[in-house]
Amino acid sequence: MALDLAIILPTLNERGNLAPLVERIASALDPMLGNDGWEVLIVDDDSKDGTADEARGLARSDHRIRVIQRIGRRGLSSAAIEGFCATAAPFVAVMDADHQHDPALLPNMLASLKAGEADVCVASRFAEGASTKDWAEPEREKLSGMANAVARRLTGVELTDPMSGYFMLSADTARALVPRLSGIGFKILFDLLATSDAPMRVKEFPLNFAARREGESKLDRAIAFDFLAGLYDKTLGRVIPTRFALFGTVGALGVVVHMAVLAALLVGMGEGFALAQGIAVFTAMSFNFWLNNWLTYRDKRLKGWDAVLGGWAGFVATCAVGAFANFAVATLLEAQGLFWALAALAGIMIGSVWNYALSSRFVWGRF
Ligand code: GDD
Ligand code: MN
């Protein structure tokens, strides 16, 4: 039989979950598609627990399993996108690799797409007949409910669970949307729905959302932030790009730090303007590096002493020209008699555009 369906499993430390999950997928799909009507694509972001090796081990004895190991890249959404683009199957599904999503829904979802009943099939935690009683995370459940209400308005699609991580659609449709997806964070389904020009026809499948089989959730801490960034991206993000807005917000906080240091040295300790401005630039720069690493580039966050120190040095180096321009403009204007705070602000403005353009490429980007 021809290849019909690819199941994309984004993974981050899911070693022990893989073999039993593939087994469950096989018993769900073999009766419908035969032995080679489907494939599993494991997109692993270089998990430290050896998930990719485990996947390769499974793939050696089962050709329906394939592995994409990504190095230096992160993110659930971008892993799903990687999968869309790496399969020849006409239909693609995305699901958690931790057994929270029941593979038994796959045949009905596929049948429904093939019958033309919908553009996307979504396994919903909140549809009539679904249940989250085994999830046992009331906080997350409440948050999901709120997020869903907002998302419904934005996508124009009446959906009980637009944040679901378990869905299926035609691979062509998915790939056609990829160039315009934001691809940041975890809400890939929401991204697809909000990006499509014509509202997609969605069919929901009640899901009994299970507890994770082993390991821990990768999304807990990031979830609220990702959601807000996603909303921004699909609304104001078209005018001012999300990363630049974050960078700008961080920059604005940097200005506060800058001014506080400057005022303390200048007014508090009676230092000269040049020295005070120099120290303020350096302090604000380090503060901005730390905050950008934590927030703006959290999906590419540098971790461990080596990476952080290296990144900081790189940031200082790339910002050196901006910082110098900042310093030069500010001291010049101040010497001309401009009020010290205004002189400092002018310097900051000159420096910041330069800093964004360069650091997004050289510090957190890849060539
Ligand atoms: N490749 C890759 N890269 N995989 C990742 C990454 C990443 O950066 N982060 C998480 N994953 C994988 C996990 O290994 C898992 O297989 C799947 O993506 C979902 O991650 P979980 O850590 O299990 O997420 P969750 O259960 O907390 O969140 C679920 O519910 C959300 C809605 O509240 C997921 O289904 C989300 O997709 C869903 O939006
Ligand atoms: Mn999960």
Side-chain angles (χ1 to χ4, degrees):
M1 216 191 245
L3 178 62
D4 254 346
L5 174 66
I7 295 103
I8 301 163
L9 303 177
T11 57
L12 207 57
N13 299 326
E14 305 285 3
R15 183 187 185 106
N17 289 325
L18 285 184
L21 184 58
V22 170
E23 220 164 279
R24 289 179 68 196
I25 291 173
S27 45
L29 289 175
D30 282 348
M32 180 191 192
L33 299 176
N35 276 336
D36 43 33
W38 55 272
E39 66 176 357
V40 167
L41 254 143
I42 294 156
V43 186
D44 183 63
D45 285 351
D46 207 19
S47 300
K48 293 294 162 267
D49 74 344
T51 301
D53 282 334
E54 167 73 6
R56 278 186 283 265
L58 297 171
R60 283 192 74 192
S61 55
D62 188 338
H63 294 267
R64 300 171 299 184
I65 302 173
R66 297 203 284 127
V67 191
I68 297 174
Q69 180 178 9
R70 308 196 301 172
I71 293 175
R73 281 194 289 160
R74 270 295 300 275
L76 178 46
S77 285
S78 72
I81 292 170
E82 200 87 32
F84 298 157
C85 297
T87 184
F91 295 98
V92 287
V94 177
M95 62 192 284
D96 282 15
D98 58 2
H99 295 249
Q100 287 195 285
H101 296 149
D102 186 358
L105 299 184
L106 290 168
N108 286 339
M109 290 167 105
L110 183 61
S112 172
L113 288 177
K114 283 185 163 182
E117 289 170 13
D119 301 317
V120 193
C121 288
V122 178
S124 164
R125 295 165 291 175
F126 308 111
E128 189 80 33
S131 123
T132 50
K133 69 175 191 312
D134 297 332
W135 195 9
E137 291 188 52
E139 280 300 301
R140 279 283 299 268
E141 245 179 276
K142 220 183 283 166
L143 211 70
S144 287
M146 275 173 359
N148 289 346
V150 184
R152 232 168 287 154
R153 289 182 174 263
L154 224 80
T155 58
V157 179
E158 203 43 55
L159 248 187
T160 58
D161 195 2
M163 297 297 135
S164 172
Y166 185 12
F167 57 92
M168 191 191 294
L169 76 169
S170 124
D172 283 337
T173 308
R175 281 190 293 263
L177 292 170
V178 164
R180 291 189 289 137
L181 295 179
S182 61
I184 308 175
F186 68 92
K187 61 252 151 334
I188 177 74
L189 172 65
F190 170 71
D191 206 350
L192 288 163
L193 292 171
T195 300
S196 169
D197 293 322
M200 290 188 165
R201 292 175 308 137
V202 180
K203 182 165 175 186
E204 297 191 304
F205 292 75
L207 169 71
N208 289 325
F209 197 62
R212 204 168 225 288
R213 187 174 169 279
E214 66 176 59
E216 53 190 45
S217 169
K218 317 311 181 290
L219 302 181
D220 281 352
R221 269 156 300 148
I223 218 149
F225 176 80
D226 261 5
F227 177 68
L228 291 178
L231 281 187
Y232 176 91
D233 200 71
K234 286 296 166 209
T235 51
L236 288 173
R238 294 179 206 276
V239 187
I240 303 170
T242 307
R243 266 197 221 284
F244 186 73
L246 281 170
F247 196 87
T249 308
V250 169
L253 291 171
V255 173
V256 174
V257 170
H258 182 109
M259 288 303 179
V261 173
L262 184 62
L265 291 172
L266 205 62
V267 183
M269 299 169 66
E271 297 290 347
F273 182 81
L275 180 69
Q277 174 74 355
I279 293 176
V281 167
F282 195 74
T283 311
M285 200 155 66
S286 302
F287 169 80
N288 279 9
F289 166 76
W290 172 77
L291 204 55
N292 271 322
N293 193 41
W294 191 71
L295 196 68
T296 314
Y297 298 96
R298 43 177 299 282
D299 54 330
K300 304 176 176 187
R301 186 178 300 159
L302 306 170
K303 284 191 195 125
W305 277 108
D306 287 9
V308 171
L309 274 180
W312 176 78
F315 187 79
V316 170
T318 40
C319 290
V321 177
F324 179 75
N326 177 341
F327 177 82
V329 168
T331 45
L332 191 82
L333 289 174
E334 203 268 344
Q336 304 275 310
L338 191 67
F339 180 56
W340 63 268
L342 290 181
L345 271 179
I348 289 165
M349 269 163 55
I350 301 286
S352 58
V353 173
W354 168 273
N355 289 347
Y356 172 70
L358 262 78
S359 70
S360 63
R361 190 162 183 86
F362 293 113
V363 181
W364 288 278
R366 280 175 74 85
F367 303 98

